[in-house]
Amino acid sequence: MTLKIGIAGAGFSGAVIANELANAGHQITVYEPRQHIAGNCYSSRDDESNIMLHHFGPHIFHTDKAHIWQYVTQLSQFMPFTNRVKAMTQGQVYSLPINLHTINQFFKKQMSPTEAEQFLASQADSSIEEASNFEEQAHKLIGKQLYQAFFKDYTIKQWGRSPATLPASILKRLPVRFNYDDNYFNHPFQGMPIEGYTPLIEKLLAHPNIRLRLNSTFDASMKCDYDHVFFSGPLDAYFDFQLGRLPYRTLDFHKETHTGDYQGNAVVNYCDNRQAYTRISEHKHFTPWESHSHTVIFKEYSREASPEDLPYYPVRLSDDNSLLEQYIALAKQQKNITFVGRLGTYRYLDMDVTIDEALTASKLFLESLESHQTMPAFTA
Protein backbone atom coordinates (compact mmCIF):
# COMPACT_ATOMS: atom_id res chain seq x y z
CA MET A 1 0.00 0.00 0.00
CA THR A 2 1.44 3.33 -1.09
CA LEU A 3 0.77 6.24 1.27
CA LYS A 4 0.96 9.98 0.77
CA ILE A 5 3.38 11.44 3.29
CA GLY A 6 3.80 15.14 3.99
CA ILE A 7 7.03 16.36 5.56
CA ALA A 8 7.59 19.83 6.96
CA GLY A 9 11.23 20.83 6.67
CA ALA A 10 14.12 19.91 4.36
CA GLY A 11 16.83 19.74 7.00
CA PHE A 12 18.37 16.52 8.25
CA SER A 13 15.19 15.30 9.97
CA GLY A 14 12.91 15.80 6.99
CA ALA A 15 15.41 14.65 4.37
CA VAL A 16 16.33 11.42 6.18
CA ILE A 17 12.69 10.48 6.79
CA ALA A 18 11.74 11.40 3.22
CA ASN A 19 14.50 9.20 1.82
CA GLU A 20 13.71 6.22 4.07
CA LEU A 21 9.97 6.29 3.30
CA ALA A 22 10.50 6.96 -0.40
CA ASN A 23 12.74 3.89 -0.54
CA ALA A 24 9.87 1.96 1.03
CA GLY A 25 7.64 2.95 -1.90
CA HIS A 26 5.64 5.84 -0.44
CA GLN A 27 4.94 9.17 -2.13
CA ILE A 28 6.58 12.05 -0.28
CA THR A 29 6.08 15.80 -0.47
CA VAL A 30 8.61 17.92 1.42
CA TYR A 31 7.71 21.50 2.29
CA GLU A 32 10.53 23.92 3.03
CA PRO A 33 9.74 27.53 3.99
CA ARG A 34 13.18 28.79 2.97
CA GLN A 35 14.52 29.10 -0.57
CA HIS A 36 17.14 26.41 0.06
CA ILE A 37 17.37 22.90 1.51
CA ALA A 38 19.53 21.69 4.43
CA GLY A 39 18.04 23.96 7.11
CA ASN A 40 20.65 25.47 9.39
CA CYS A 41 23.25 23.08 7.95
CA TYR A 42 23.03 24.92 4.63
CA SER A 43 26.45 25.50 3.11
CA SER A 44 27.64 26.97 -0.17
CA ARG A 45 30.77 28.48 -1.66
CA ASP A 46 31.37 32.18 -1.27
CA ASP A 47 31.09 34.01 -4.61
CA GLU A 48 34.25 36.07 -4.05
CA SER A 49 36.65 33.77 -2.20
CA ASN A 50 35.27 30.32 -3.15
CA ILE A 51 35.47 29.36 0.54
CA MET A 52 32.83 26.90 1.75
CA LEU A 53 30.59 28.85 4.11
CA HIS A 54 28.40 27.52 6.91
CA HIS A 55 25.74 30.20 6.61
CA PHE A 56 24.04 29.50 9.92
CA GLY A 57 27.03 28.86 12.13
CA PRO A 58 29.69 26.14 12.27
CA HIS A 59 28.48 22.58 11.79
CA ILE A 60 31.15 20.02 12.65
CA PHE A 61 30.04 16.44 12.39
CA HIS A 62 30.91 14.28 15.37
CA THR A 63 29.38 11.11 16.77
CA ASP A 64 30.04 8.06 18.91
CA LYS A 65 27.53 6.05 16.86
CA ALA A 66 29.27 3.87 14.29
CA HIS A 67 26.06 3.28 12.31
CA ILE A 68 25.47 7.03 11.95
CA TRP A 69 29.04 7.60 10.79
CA GLN A 70 28.56 4.82 8.23
CA TYR A 71 25.26 6.41 7.15
CA VAL A 72 26.71 9.87 6.44
CA THR A 73 29.95 8.65 4.89
CA GLN A 74 27.93 6.68 2.34
CA LEU A 75 26.27 9.95 1.32
CA SER A 76 29.42 12.06 1.09
CA GLN A 77 33.18 11.85 1.39
CA PHE A 78 34.16 13.15 4.83
CA MET A 79 37.55 14.69 5.48
CA PRO A 80 39.23 14.52 8.89
CA PHE A 81 38.60 17.61 10.99
CA THR A 82 39.27 18.19 14.67
CA ASN A 83 37.63 21.17 16.34
CA ARG A 84 40.21 22.89 18.54
CA VAL A 85 38.45 25.88 20.04
CA LYS A 86 40.37 28.83 21.43
CA ALA A 87 39.01 31.19 24.07
CA MET A 88 39.73 34.88 24.60
CA THR A 89 39.32 36.09 28.18
CA GLN A 90 41.00 38.67 30.37
CA GLY A 91 43.35 39.61 27.54
CA GLN A 92 44.73 36.08 27.06
CA VAL A 93 44.20 33.17 24.65
CA TYR A 94 43.38 29.75 26.10
CA SER A 95 42.29 26.32 24.87
CA LEU A 96 38.79 24.97 25.37
CA PRO A 97 37.48 22.75 26.77
CA ILE A 98 39.33 23.39 30.02
CA ASN A 99 42.31 21.06 30.04
CA LEU A 100 45.67 20.78 31.76
CA HIS A 101 47.17 23.46 29.54
CA THR A 102 44.28 25.83 30.31
CA ILE A 103 44.59 25.24 34.05
CA ASN A 104 48.36 25.65 34.15
CA GLN A 105 48.29 28.72 31.94
CA PHE A 106 45.45 30.40 33.81
CA PHE A 107 46.92 29.85 37.29
CA LYS A 108 50.55 30.29 36.06
CA LYS A 109 51.61 26.87 37.34
CA GLN A 110 53.32 23.70 36.07
CA MET A 111 51.13 21.02 37.59
CA SER A 112 50.98 17.36 36.71
CA PRO A 113 47.57 15.81 35.96
CA THR A 114 47.20 14.59 39.57
CA GLU A 115 48.32 17.91 41.01
CA ALA A 116 45.93 19.82 38.75
CA GLU A 117 43.02 17.60 39.74
CA GLN A 118 43.77 18.12 43.42
CA PHE A 119 44.26 21.86 42.89
CA LEU A 120 40.93 22.24 41.07
CA ALA A 121 39.22 20.29 43.84
CA SER A 122 40.59 22.85 46.29
CA GLN A 123 39.15 25.66 44.14
CA ALA A 124 35.71 24.06 43.94
CA ASP A 125 32.90 24.86 46.35
CA SER A 126 32.56 21.63 48.31
CA SER A 127 29.60 22.96 50.29
CA ILE A 128 27.34 22.47 47.23
CA GLU A 129 26.04 18.91 47.44
CA GLU A 130 23.57 19.03 44.55
CA ALA A 131 23.78 21.99 42.16
CA SER A 132 20.41 23.54 41.40
CA ASN A 133 21.55 25.77 38.55
CA PHE A 134 24.36 26.46 36.09
CA GLU A 135 26.27 28.81 38.38
CA GLU A 136 26.25 26.42 41.33
CA GLN A 137 27.35 23.57 39.07
CA ALA A 138 30.28 25.67 37.86
CA HIS A 139 31.30 26.59 41.41
CA LYS A 140 31.09 22.95 42.40
CA LEU A 141 32.99 21.67 39.36
CA ILE A 142 35.73 24.24 38.64
CA GLY A 143 35.51 27.02 41.25
CA LYS A 144 34.70 30.72 40.93
CA GLN A 145 37.81 31.92 39.07
CA LEU A 146 37.54 29.62 36.05
CA TYR A 147 33.77 30.06 36.03
CA GLN A 148 33.99 33.84 35.90
CA ALA A 149 36.76 33.80 33.29
CA PHE A 150 35.26 31.30 30.84
CA PHE A 151 31.55 30.83 31.47
CA LYS A 152 29.77 33.62 33.34
CA ASP A 153 29.82 36.44 30.77
CA TYR A 154 29.76 34.05 27.80
CA THR A 155 26.62 32.39 29.16
CA ILE A 156 24.93 35.74 29.71
CA LYS A 157 25.74 36.75 26.11
CA GLN A 158 24.62 33.39 24.73
CA TRP A 159 21.37 32.99 26.67
CA GLY A 160 20.51 36.54 27.75
CA ARG A 161 19.90 35.24 31.26
CA SER A 162 21.75 34.96 34.51
CA PRO A 163 23.55 31.61 34.86
CA ALA A 164 21.75 31.27 38.19
CA THR A 165 18.49 30.79 36.23
CA LEU A 166 19.83 28.14 33.83
CA PRO A 167 19.75 24.40 34.58
CA ALA A 168 22.89 22.74 35.91
CA SER A 169 22.65 20.13 33.14
CA ILE A 170 24.05 22.60 30.58
CA LEU A 171 27.45 22.66 32.27
CA LYS A 172 27.44 18.95 33.08
CA ARG A 173 27.90 18.28 29.37
CA LEU A 174 31.17 20.25 29.24
CA PRO A 175 34.30 18.20 29.96
CA VAL A 176 37.24 19.16 32.17
CA ARG A 177 40.40 17.30 31.21
CA PHE A 178 43.52 16.76 33.25
CA ASN A 179 45.70 16.17 30.19
CA TYR A 180 46.66 18.29 27.17
CA ASP A 181 43.88 17.03 24.91
CA ASP A 182 42.33 20.12 23.26
CA ASN A 183 39.93 18.21 20.98
CA TYR A 184 36.61 19.93 21.67
CA PHE A 185 34.65 16.71 21.17
CA ASN A 186 35.13 13.33 22.82
CA HIS A 187 33.53 11.37 19.99
CA PRO A 188 35.64 8.88 17.99
CA PHE A 189 34.10 9.83 14.63
CA GLN A 190 34.67 13.42 13.53
CA GLY A 191 34.87 15.08 10.16
CA MET A 192 33.56 17.47 7.56
CA PRO A 193 31.81 16.64 4.25
CA ILE A 194 34.28 17.56 1.53
CA GLU A 195 31.77 19.71 -0.38
CA GLY A 196 29.63 20.82 2.54
CA TYR A 197 26.27 19.62 3.81
CA THR A 198 24.00 20.84 1.03
CA PRO A 199 25.01 18.14 -1.52
CA LEU A 200 24.51 15.51 1.17
CA ILE A 201 20.91 16.65 1.72
CA GLU A 202 20.41 16.92 -2.05
CA LYS A 203 21.36 13.27 -2.41
CA LEU A 204 18.80 12.24 0.20
CA LEU A 205 16.04 14.20 -1.56
CA ALA A 206 16.99 13.08 -5.10
CA HIS A 207 14.44 10.28 -5.28
CA PRO A 208 11.64 9.86 -7.84
CA ASN A 209 9.10 9.41 -5.03
CA ILE A 210 10.01 12.76 -3.42
CA ARG A 211 8.62 16.14 -4.44
CA LEU A 212 10.33 19.18 -2.97
CA ARG A 213 8.50 22.47 -2.54
CA LEU A 214 10.78 25.33 -1.57
CA ASN A 215 9.41 28.64 -0.26
CA SER A 216 6.42 26.66 1.00
CA THR A 217 5.28 26.48 4.60
CA PHE A 218 3.32 23.49 5.82
CA ASP A 219 0.47 24.34 8.18
CA ALA A 220 -2.05 22.28 10.12
CA SER A 221 -4.82 22.80 7.53
CA MET A 222 -2.81 20.76 5.01
CA LYS A 223 -2.61 17.63 7.17
CA CYS A 224 -5.86 16.23 5.76
CA ASP A 225 -4.17 15.95 2.34
CA TYR A 226 -1.83 13.23 3.63
CA ASP A 227 -2.02 9.84 5.26
CA HIS A 228 0.68 10.89 7.70
CA VAL A 229 2.77 13.98 8.39
CA PHE A 230 6.22 14.40 9.89
CA PHE A 231 6.59 17.92 11.22
CA SER A 232 10.04 19.35 11.91
CA GLY A 233 8.96 22.97 12.15
CA PRO A 234 8.46 24.82 15.45
CA LEU A 235 6.11 22.92 17.75
CA ASP A 236 4.20 26.04 18.79
CA ALA A 237 3.91 27.26 15.18
CA TYR A 238 1.99 24.13 14.19
CA PHE A 239 -0.69 25.16 16.66
CA ASP A 240 -0.55 28.77 15.49
CA PHE A 241 0.89 29.81 18.88
CA GLN A 242 -2.52 29.42 20.46
CA LEU A 243 -1.02 28.86 23.92
CA GLY A 244 1.69 31.49 23.51
CA ARG A 245 5.18 31.43 22.04
CA LEU A 246 7.89 29.13 23.32
CA PRO A 247 11.11 31.09 23.96
CA TYR A 248 14.02 30.81 21.55
CA ARG A 249 17.38 32.44 21.09
CA THR A 250 18.35 33.51 17.60
CA LEU A 251 21.69 34.44 16.06
CA ASP A 252 22.93 37.35 13.97
CA PHE A 253 25.99 36.76 11.79
CA HIS A 254 28.14 39.68 10.70
CA LYS A 255 30.24 38.65 7.71
CA GLU A 256 33.66 40.13 6.97
CA THR A 257 36.16 39.34 4.18
CA HIS A 258 39.89 39.83 4.73
CA THR A 259 43.15 38.91 3.05
CA GLY A 260 45.37 36.20 4.46
CA ASP A 261 44.52 34.59 7.80
CA TYR A 262 42.36 36.48 10.31
CA GLN A 263 42.62 34.47 13.53
CA GLY A 264 44.53 31.29 12.71
CA ASN A 265 41.75 28.98 13.91
CA ALA A 266 38.27 27.86 12.92
CA VAL A 267 36.49 28.95 16.12
CA VAL A 268 37.50 31.47 18.78
CA ASN A 269 35.15 32.10 21.70
CA TYR A 270 35.04 35.50 23.41
CA CYS A 271 34.31 34.61 26.98
CA ASP A 272 34.23 37.98 28.76
CA ASN A 273 32.09 41.01 28.04
CA ARG A 274 34.71 43.08 26.21
CA GLN A 275 32.94 42.20 22.96
CA ALA A 276 29.22 41.80 22.33
CA TYR A 277 29.71 38.79 20.07
CA THR A 278 30.10 35.29 21.48
CA ARG A 279 32.55 33.90 18.93
CA ILE A 280 34.22 34.37 15.57
CA SER A 281 34.33 31.53 13.07
CA GLU A 282 36.82 31.64 10.19
CA HIS A 283 35.43 29.33 7.58
CA LYS A 284 38.44 28.45 5.48
CA HIS A 285 39.83 26.65 8.52
CA PHE A 286 36.90 24.21 8.31
CA THR A 287 38.43 22.95 5.04
CA PRO A 288 42.17 22.78 5.83
CA TRP A 289 42.72 20.61 2.74
CA GLU A 290 41.92 23.69 0.59
CA SER A 291 44.03 26.81 -0.01
CA HIS A 292 42.60 30.34 -0.17
CA SER A 293 44.34 33.71 -0.35
CA HIS A 294 41.39 35.50 1.24
CA THR A 295 39.39 34.63 4.30
CA VAL A 296 35.78 34.99 5.48
CA ILE A 297 34.82 35.39 9.11
CA PHE A 298 31.47 35.56 10.87
CA LYS A 299 31.03 37.39 14.15
CA GLU A 300 28.18 35.71 16.02
CA TYR A 301 25.71 37.60 18.19
CA SER A 302 22.98 35.94 20.25
CA ARG A 303 19.67 37.55 21.19
CA GLU A 304 16.09 36.70 22.04
CA ALA A 305 14.13 35.59 18.99
CA SER A 306 11.23 37.74 17.81
CA PRO A 307 8.31 36.35 15.79
CA GLU A 308 10.13 37.37 12.57
CA ASP A 309 13.41 35.63 13.43
CA LEU A 310 14.74 32.17 12.69
CA PRO A 311 14.60 30.21 15.97
CA TYR A 312 17.94 28.58 16.84
CA TYR A 313 18.19 27.47 20.45
CA PRO A 314 15.17 26.41 22.52
CA VAL A 315 15.36 27.98 25.96
CA ARG A 316 14.38 25.05 28.15
CA LEU A 317 14.37 26.66 31.56
CA SER A 318 12.53 25.19 34.51
CA ASP A 319 10.04 28.06 34.66
CA ASP A 320 9.21 27.59 30.94
CA ASN A 321 8.35 23.89 31.21
CA SER A 322 4.67 24.49 31.88
CA LEU A 323 4.04 25.99 28.44
CA LEU A 324 6.10 23.29 26.76
CA GLU A 325 4.20 20.56 28.60
CA GLN A 326 0.91 22.06 27.42
CA TYR A 327 2.07 22.00 23.81
CA ILE A 328 3.33 18.42 24.13
CA ALA A 329 -0.04 17.38 25.59
CA LEU A 330 -1.79 19.11 22.68
CA ALA A 331 0.49 17.39 20.16
CA LYS A 332 -0.19 13.96 21.64
CA GLN A 333 -3.90 14.44 20.97
CA GLN A 334 -3.26 14.77 17.23
CA LYS A 335 -3.76 11.92 14.80
CA ASN A 336 -1.48 10.89 11.93
CA ILE A 337 1.33 13.31 12.72
CA THR A 338 4.77 12.88 14.29
CA PHE A 339 6.84 15.80 15.57
CA VAL A 340 10.56 15.43 14.92
CA GLY A 341 13.81 17.34 15.01
CA ARG A 342 15.16 20.27 16.98
CA LEU A 343 12.15 22.53 16.44
CA GLY A 344 9.45 19.88 16.41
CA THR A 345 10.52 18.43 19.75
CA TYR A 346 11.86 21.71 21.20
CA ARG A 347 15.26 20.30 22.13
CA TYR A 348 18.84 21.15 21.24
CA LEU A 349 20.07 18.27 19.05
CA ASP A 350 23.44 17.55 17.50
CA MET A 351 23.39 16.41 13.89
CA ASP A 352 24.13 12.77 14.67
CA VAL A 353 21.27 12.58 17.17
CA THR A 354 18.95 14.27 14.67
CA ILE A 355 19.80 11.68 12.03
CA ASP A 356 19.51 8.78 14.47
CA GLU A 357 16.09 9.93 15.67
CA ALA A 358 14.90 10.43 12.08
CA LEU A 359 15.96 6.89 11.19
CA THR A 360 14.17 5.59 14.29
CA ALA A 361 11.00 7.52 13.44
CA SER A 362 11.06 6.09 9.91
CA LYS A 363 11.53 2.55 11.18
CA LEU A 364 8.74 2.89 13.75
CA PHE A 365 6.39 4.27 11.12
CA LEU A 366 7.00 1.37 8.74
CA GLU A 367 6.61 -1.10 11.62
CA SER A 368 3.35 0.56 12.67
CA LEU A 369 1.97 0.03 9.17
CA GLU A 370 2.76 -3.67 9.31
CA SER A 371 1.30 -4.12 12.79
CA HIS A 372 -1.64 -1.73 12.25
CA GLN A 373 -0.55 0.24 15.31
CA THR A 374 -0.92 3.99 15.79
CA MET A 375 2.24 6.00 15.21
CA PRO A 376 2.95 8.18 18.29
CA ALA A 377 3.31 11.95 18.06
CA PHE A 378 6.81 11.74 19.55
CA THR A 379 9.27 8.91 19.01
CA ALA A 380 12.35 10.32 20.78
Side-chain angles (χ1 to χ4, degrees), residues 296-311:
V296 177
I297 68 164
F298 284 89
K299 294 178 178 176
E300 191 170 311
Y301 299 79
S302 176
R303 61 179 171 83
E304 205 75 6
S306 71
E308 292 75 33
D309 290 317
L310 283 173

Side-chain angles (χ1 to χ4, degrees), residues 85-104:
V85 177
K86 302 305 174 189
M88 300 282 194
T89 186
Q90 301 177 1
Q92 297 291 321
V93 184
Y94 299 91
S95 291
L96 281 182
I98 291 174
N99 57 50
L100 186 56
H101 189 198
T102 315
I103 297 167
N104 276 329

Side-chain angles (χ1 to χ4, degrees), residues 54-243:
H54 299 214
H55 292 275
F56 301 97
H59 283 75
I60 300 149
F61 201 91
H62 58 97
T63 186
D64 59 353
K65 302 174 176 65
H67 68 287
I68 297 300
W69 183 247
Q70 182 181 17
Y71 181 87
V72 296
T73 53
Q74 287 177 342
L75 294 168
S76 172
Q77 180 185 356
F78 272 67
M79 298 293 286
F81 181 84
T82 301
N83 193 26
R84 303 188 189 279
V85 177
K86 302 305 174 189
M88 300 282 194
T89 186
Q90 301 177 1
Q92 297 291 321
V93 184
Y94 299 91
S95 291
L96 281 182
I98 291 174
N99 57 50
L100 186 56
H101 189 198
T102 315
I103 297 167
N104 276 329
Q105 182 186 358
F106 185 83
F107 291 104
K108 297 180 173 57
K109 294 181 179 293
Q110 293 181 328
M111 294 180 285
S112 69
T114 301
E115 290 169 340
E117 191 167 2
Q118 293 170 348
F119 176 79
L120 213 58
S122 73
Q123 297 289 304
D125 189 341
S126 59
S127 68
I128 301 173
E129 293 185 7
E130 185 65 33
S132 61
N133 58 60
F134 182 103
E135 186 168 83
E136 287 186 358
Q137 179 65 24
H139 288 170
K140 179 183 178 182
L141 183 66
I142 57 175
K144 290 184 179 180
Q145 291 188 67
L146 289 175
Y147 161 66
Q148 291 176 349
F150 292 99
F151 297 111
K152 182 178 180 181
D153 292 331
Y154 186 89
T155 301
I156 292 170
K157 288 193 291 185
Q158 179 73 14
W159 294 101
R161 291 159 173 81
S162 166
T165 67
L166 292 168
S169 59
I170 295 176
L171 192 62
K172 288 177 181 177
R173 294 196 299 266
L174 300 176
V176 175
R177 300 187 182 128
F178 296 101
N179 56 30
Y180 290 101
D181 180 8
D182 64 348
N183 184 344
Y184 195 75
F185 302 116
N186 285 320
H187 291 161
F189 306 105
Q190 301 180 42
M192 196 73 75
I194 192 168
E195 284 297 333
Y197 291 96
T198 304
L200 191 155
I201 300 294
E202 284 177 344
K203 190 170 183 179
L204 286 171
L205 295 174
H207 193 287
N209 288 353
I210 297 175
R211 288 191 304 166
L212 174 64
R213 294 186 175 178
L214 296 176
N215 301 304
S216 300
T217 300
F218 185 94
D219 63 56
S221 66
M222 301 160 67
K223 185 164 77 81
C224 59
D225 296 332
Y226 297 95
D227 296 300
H228 197 88
V229 167
F230 291 88
F231 189 83
S232 69
L235 175 62
D236 51 355
Y238 180 81
F239 297 102
D240 199 24
F241 311 103
Q242 62 182 267
L243 303 177

Side-chain angles (χ1 to χ4, degrees), residues 3 5 21 228 230 361-369 375:
L3 299 182
I5 308 295
L21 300 189
H228 197 88
F230 291 88
S362 305
K363 180 181 177 182
L364 290 175
F365 177 73
L366 295 174
E367 290 175 350
S368 72
L369 295 180
M375 180 72 173

Side-chain angles (χ1 to χ4, degrees), residues 244-260:
R245 288 183 177 271
L246 291 168
Y248 281 96
R249 299 291 287 178
T250 193
L251 299 174
D252 295 321
F253 299 96
H254 291 194
K255 178 186 176 184
E256 297 178 11
T257 301
H258 301 270
T259 57

